[in-house]
Amino acid sequence: MAGHDWASSGLGAPESWPDGLKIPLRMLLTSRFEMWLGWGEDLRFFYNDAYIPTLGVKHPSMLGKPFREVWAEVYDEVAEQVARVRQGESTWNEALLLLLERRGYPEETYHSFSYSPLHGPAGSVDGMLCIVSEVTERVISERRLDTLRMLAAELVGASTPDAVCEAVARILGINRRDFPFSLLYIGTSHERTAVACTEDAEELLHQPWRLEASSGGPVTVELPAGTAYPTGAWAIAPRQALIVAIPGADGETPVGHLVLGLNPHRRRDEDVADLARLLAGQISGALANVAALATERQRADRVWAHSRDLLVTVGADGIYRSVSPAWTRILGHATDQVVGHHLDEFVLPEDRQDTAGALSRAAAGADLTSFENRYRTATGEVRWISWHTAREGDLVYGYGRDITEQKLNAQALASAEQALRQFQKMEMIGQLTGGVAHDFNNLLMAIIANLDLLKRQVEDDPKTARLIDGAIKGANRGASLTQRLLAFARRQDLDLNPANVTTLVRGVADLITKSIGPEIELRYQLDGAIPHALVDANQAELALLNLVVNARDALPNGGCVTIATDRIDIAGDAHLPDGSYVRLSVIDDGIGMDEETLARATEPFFSTKELGKGTGLGLSMIHGLAIQLGGALRLSSRAGEGTRAELLLPATEERRPVPPTLQIEPRVDAEAATRRSILVVDDDPLIAMSTVALLEDLGHVVTEANSAAEALGLVEGGDRFDLVVTDYSMPKMNGGQLALALRQMRPDLPILLASGYADLPPGADIDLPRLAKPYDQKQLQREIAKLLGS
């Protein structure tokens, strides 16, 4: 600077320079930081020794020259900042890219710098101070390290050669400053895969490259000037390319090659081959891992090919290293879709946390025994797997058995056990209610018979007769209750005939309308073409009315009740034989039932109605009737969403026979037309006494026996009887056995069997006229008239 001719520069001799220039100039010249300043209208250029490397070949010729001339190649990029400084504003730039021609060509450089205004004597901005730090090496090094890191991360999950190529293409397609274009070749000339890392480089795959020339090390080739090459991040195309071999497992024989277009603005003395070697090494390692993985897969296939259970190796990271072919048979995924993937891709989300904990324990050295989790198959099904594990090195070896069938069988067994317990419970209740109904019928028999006789004694006393009528009505209601109990217990005598259920519904439509009331909308969806069902018409109508009344009671604020009939085919039902059924449905949109109430709805005496408003026998009676008919009662309901009751009855091809010509039964007068000798047999003296009284009131001669043995003794002793009326349920010898014994002695002796069971217990196959308890005198008189023809 001392030897420079400053007089010709327009600044004059240094002694005449203003303090505004000399003071910052002294600081600049003595500083070890890179600094320059510009002074005057054209910003004459001053700099210190630390800035000389940045100037390069422009030192020292640019000393005192205008700033615009010194950095002509980049001045337009900073001109706006210079204008702001002249207005008194400071500026800052962090790692700004500048293509500086400091070595005779545009070179990629990065600088962090600030521009600060310098004030002259008059206070105006007469100059500009720049403190600068070149960060070119740092920026380029970080960029290249990022490329290596990203490629390593992408290659971790690559389990096939194609996956390796895709990973390389993704990463090299990002860094287009170092390599404006990149080509990857995998394999030998006989079987080679070629990949362009960017679309604009695909045409270059058809260009011949001297790949084999790189076997001794990276080779730089000049690119022909007449060919259009991708420019990448730059405005001009690369002039050179680098070919580097990808070493194989032996470190010598190449398994592929990289062709890398070189940055046209790179420093000429820079050795970019080091970066290329590192990239090739990463690719080599990934291909070696792929080859090793393929070898391990083949080994596993050979060792495990015949295993019927799952055999896997998995890392502590949850990545499958190998799986046996049984995986495909059990879970449906191909093995190459599993190896290299995380177990979370296959385990049900609900089981992932437990599975991760189990894997952590196994990876820590604990041997798992019978650890169970669920896997999703390729078709979306769920399979239960029971695992045993052992650790060796960094891998967990797992042996998994498919226990889905055992799980399903266990669930089915549990359901069957629950159903069996429910059946046993209901059977026990049925037996209990049947027995209660039988004993209750006997009690009602005595009450009704004696009330009937008593009424005859007080016919001239209207008040007393009215009271007796009330008592008889109450007893008859009790008899109706026992009928419901017997229906639930499936011990009632049914009059079965083929019937059209739709016709039955229409037949009681008026009664349904009266029962349901005007506040509720009644709808019918009846199918007149449904097949017949074998039913007891009276019991079916009663069941329908019960369902309708239940639906009405579930609509305290009004609503809609729908009655529907249709045909339904059932197959594979655990509770019903396969076949066609007639379905009678009653649907309401009322208050519905919760799960607990729905589960108990068909239990006898269970009711949600307030005390005195229901017996709790309606649904249980329908349930018993349905089972007795070979069908079922199905209930579905949710609280607040209404209830659907379906009575399923087996369909039949039978038709009701044409009724015979009506036979007028003989008229039965109040007194017997003929005086008969009748033997009454009942182990309950109260019942026997009541029956005897009814018969004697009819004018018959009656003999009472309180056991079957006593009755047989009378007949064997020579007593002659015109008729025997016997109870069925008696100790030691029941009524059926008594009838067989009497027929051996007197085959022509008429026998009338009376029972508190509306239907005899199983095994009681007796072809005898029967009279169900409780009965009144008229019913008894009518049956005797039929038997004796009087």
Side-chain angles (χ1 to χ4, degrees):
M1 289 183 66
H4 188 74
D5 183 10
W6 294 106
S8 62
S9 68
L11 292 176
E15 293 79 10
S16 63
W17 292 349
D19 289 341
L21 171 59
K22 291 193 291 186
I23 292 173
L25 192 56
R26 290 193 190 100
M27 177 187 69
L28 176 149
L29 293 174
T30 58
S31 176
R32 295 188 180 182
F33 290 99
E34 294 182 65
M35 301 174 69
W36 65 265
L37 66 80
W39 188 263
E41 183 64 28
D42 51 3
L43 297 177
R44 295 286 175 165
F45 206 75
F46 295 89
Y47 56 92
N48 61 6
D49 290 345
Y51 191 71
I52 293 174
T54 300
L55 278 173
V57 297
K58 295 185 178 185
H59 171 73
S61 60
M62 290 299 155
L63 186 62
K65 297 293 179 62
F67 175 37
R68 180 186 293 274
E69 181 182 342
V70 175
W71 292 121
E73 66 270 25
V74 296
Y75 185 80
D76 289 342
E77 297 179 38
V78 298
E80 183 271 334
Q81 296 188 47
V82 171
R84 287 162 53 192
V85 172
R86 290 188 183 278
Q87 299 297 320
E89 181 182 348
S90 296
T91 65
W92 168 254
N93 296 274
E94 177 67 34
L96 182 66
L97 169 62
L98 297 171
L99 297 179
L100 302 182
E101 296 182 7
R102 58 186 180 185
R103 292 181 173 86
Y105 57 87
E107 177 185 342
E108 177 189 9
T109 69
Y110 296 88
H111 300 265
S112 296
F113 58 91
S114 66
Y115 287 164
S116 301
L118 296 176
H119 298 276
S124 60
V125 177
D126 292 341
M128 182 175 71
L129 173 66
C130 176
I131 301 176
V132 61
S133 175
E134 181 172 357
V135 293
T136 302
E137 295 295 333
R138 175 175 65 82
V139 172
I140 294 177
S141 295
E142 288 179 355
R143 182 176 72 211
R144 293 175 177 177
L145 286 174
D146 285 344
T147 299
L148 293 169
R149 280 194 293 264
M150 288 189 295
L151 182 58
E154 285 289 312
L155 292 174
V156 166
S159 58
T160 65
D162 288 344
V164 172
C165 293
E166 291 173 4
V168 173
R170 272 195 300 274
I171 301 307
L172 293 185
I174 295 173
N175 182 3
R176 302 196 69 182
R177 289 194 186 276
D178 287 309
F179 307 118
F181 69 83
S182 303
L183 307 176
L184 173 64
Y185 295 88
I186 299 296
T188 64
S189 57
H190 302 291
E191 187 176 351
R192 177 176 286 160
T193 300
V195 177
C197 296
T198 53
E199 290 184 9
D200 57 4
E202 290 181 356
E203 289 297 324
L204 301 182
L205 295 175
H206 305 297
Q207 181 174 323
W209 298 95
R210 294 185 294 111
L211 302 179
E212 287 72 16
S214 63
S215 58
V219 174
T220 302
V221 296
E222 299 295 327
L223 299 178
T227 305
Y229 292 94
T231 60
W234 310 110
I236 61 175
R239 292 181 289 272
Q240 294 177 321
L242 187 68
I243 303 175
V244 59
I246 300 172
D250 58 4
E252 295 181 2
T253 306
V255 294
H257 296 82
L258 276 174
V259 177
L260 305 170
L262 295 179
N263 178 2
H265 298 298
R266 76 186 189 284
R267 198 175 70 235
R268 296 293 168 82
D269 60 349
E270 180 187 44
D271 189 4
V272 75
D274 289 341
L275 174 61
R277 289 191 190 94
L278 291 173
L279 293 172
Q282 286 186 324
I283 299 170
S284 173
L287 292 174
N289 288 338
V290 169
L293 191 61
T295 300
E296 176 66 15
R297 188 181 301 121
Q298 293 172 359
R299 185 189 68 82
D301 286 346
R302 287 195 299 271
V303 175
W304 301 345
H306 301 292
S307 173
R308 296 179 59 84
D309 298 314
L310 294 174
L311 298 175
V312 304
T313 58
V314 61
D317 55 2
I319 302 295
Y320 286 111
R321 301 300 194 269
S322 61
V323 298
S324 68
W327 185 293
T328 304
R329 180 179 58 82
I330 296 173
L331 298 175
H333 310 99
T335 55
D336 59 2
Q337 295 175 336
V338 181
V339 174
H341 292 257
H342 198 279
L343 55 84
D344 281 353
E345 296 181 35
F346 310 99
V347 176
L348 252 60
E350 300 87 339
D351 292 355
R352 287 174 184 169
Q353 184 174 353
D354 290 343
T355 301
L359 177 60
S360 296
R361 296 194 300 274
D367 291 341
L368 302 183
T369 302
S370 300
F371 171 75
E372 298 177 1
N373 60 359
R374 291 169 294 176
Y375 280 69
R376 182 76 67 184
T377 69
T379 57
E381 299 175 0
V382 175
R383 308 297 294 180
W384 280 92
I385 308 296
S386 176
W387 293 100
H388 302 265
T389 66
R391 188 191 70 177
E392 183 175 335
D394 295 332
L395 294 179
V396 174
Y397 289 76
Y399 159 81
R401 172 156 293 180
D402 182 3
I403 59 170
T404 307
E405 297 304 322
Q406 294 93 310
K407 283 283 185 181
L408 294 177
N409 291 339
Q411 292 173 0
L413 180 59
S415 298
E417 289 176 347
Q418 182 178 2
L420 178 59
R421 286 193 295 269
Q422 180 68 9
F423 173 79
Q424 291 173 335
K425 170 185 172 183
M426 300 306 289
E427 188 68 19
M428 180 183 66
I429 295 175
Q431 293 174 359
L432 176 62
T433 54
V436 169
H438 169 264
D439 293 341
F440 196 30
N441 275 339
N442 280 336
L443 295 175
L444 289 172
M445 173 65 228
I447 294 171
I448 292 175
N450 285 285
L451 287 173
D452 198 11
L453 293 173
L454 181 60
K455 183 178 178 181
R456 292 178 178 276
Q457 305 300 320
V458 295
E459 287 182 348
D460 55 348
D461 184 353
K463 182 178 180 181
T464 303
R466 187 168 61 252
L467 294 174
I468 294 173
D469 284 340
I472 291 175
K473 288 181 180 178
N476 285 331
R477 288 181 64 183
S480 176
L481 179 62
T482 62
Q483 288 300 313
R484 293 191 179 188
L485 288 170
L486 289 167
F488 167 75
R490 305 191 294 280
R491 293 182 179 177
Q492 60 181 342
D493 192 13
L494 300 178
D495 181 18
L496 299 180
N497 285 290
N500 187 297
V501 175
T502 296
T503 303
L504 291 179
V505 174
R506 289 171 176 159
V508 293
D510 290 342
L511 186 56
I512 290 174
T513 302
K514 292 177 182 178
S515 301
I516 208 164
E519 298 84 4
I520 297 173
E521 179 186 357
L522 185 61
R523 298 176 184 173
Y524 289 95
Q525 297 175 358
L526 304 179
D527 183 358
I530 58 175
H532 282 48
L534 200 62
V535 297
D536 183 316
N538 291 332
Q539 294 295 334
E541 291 170 353
L542 180 61
L544 173 59
L545 290 173
N546 265 291
L547 293 176
V548 170
V549 169
N550 280 348
R552 177 201 67 190
D553 293 343
L555 296 164
N557 300 317
C560 177
V561 173
T562 302
I563 301 174
T565 59
D566 63 346
R567 171 180 177 164
I568 180 174
D569 293 323
I570 293 179
D573 190 287
H575 305 291
L576 288 174
D578 294 351
S580 295
Y581 290 80
V582 174
R583 178 168 58 185
L584 172 59
S585 305
V586 177
I587 307 129
D588 67 72
D589 55 3
I591 58 177
M593 295 180 280
D594 57 27
E595 292 184 5
E596 182 180 356
T597 303
L598 182 63
R600 301 187 58 195
T602 57
E603 292 184 10
F605 306 114
F606 176 77
S607 176
T608 57
K609 300 176 183 177
E610 59 184 89
L611 190 62
K613 293 298 180 70
T615 62
L617 287 172
L619 288 177
S620 63
M621 180 270 288
I622 301 171
H623 174 70
L625 172 67
I627 294 178
Q628 197 169 0
L629 292 174
L633 173 64
R634 289 179 172 176
L635 300 174
S636 57
S637 181
R638 294 182 66 177
E641 298 183 12
T643 300
R644 181 186 187 96
E646 297 179 347
L647 180 60
L648 300 180
L649 304 170
T652 179
E653 298 299 326
E654 297 181 32
R655 290 294 184 268
R656 188 180 183 92
V658 178
T661 304
L662 180 63
Q663 299 293 328
I664 301 177
E665 293 185 0
R667 182 174 178 271
V668 181
D669 296 326
E671 294 186 0
T674 305
R675 185 181 180 86
R676 302 287 186 174
S677 176
I678 301 176
L679 173 62
V680 173
V681 186
D682 200 306
D683 63 313
D684 189 331
L686 182 61
I687 305 301
M689 180 187 71
S690 300
T691 305
V692 168
L694 290 174
L695 292 171
E696 287 180 342
D697 186 65
L698 291 172
H700 297 296
V701 177
V702 185
T703 302
E704 177 183 344
N706 295 120
S707 68
E710 184 180 350
L712 287 175
L714 292 173
V715 175
E716 288 175 346
D719 289 356
R720 303 292 295 181
F721 299 104
D722 298 315
L723 172 68
V724 174
V725 179
T726 178
D727 182 31
Y728 177 80
S729 180
M730 296 185 294
K732 296 185 180 179
M733 180 182 288
N734 61 40
Q737 294 167 334
L738 172 62
L740 293 175
L742 289 174
R743 280 182 171 176
Q744 290 180 354
M745 290 185 286
R746 284 194 52 190
D748 60 339
L749 177 62
I751 301 172
L752 178 62
L753 192 66
S755 175
Y757 293 112
D759 190 16
L760 295 182
D765 187 13
I766 305 168
D767 184 17
L768 288 175
R770 300 211 310 274
L771 181 61
K773 297 178 182 178
Y775 49 82
D776 57 20
Q777 190 178 52
K778 289 183 180 179
Q779 292 171 314
L780 179 61
Q781 188 177 17
R782 187 181 302 113
E783 292 302 321
I784 293 174
K786 290 179 182 178
L787 279 172
L788 300 180
S790 59

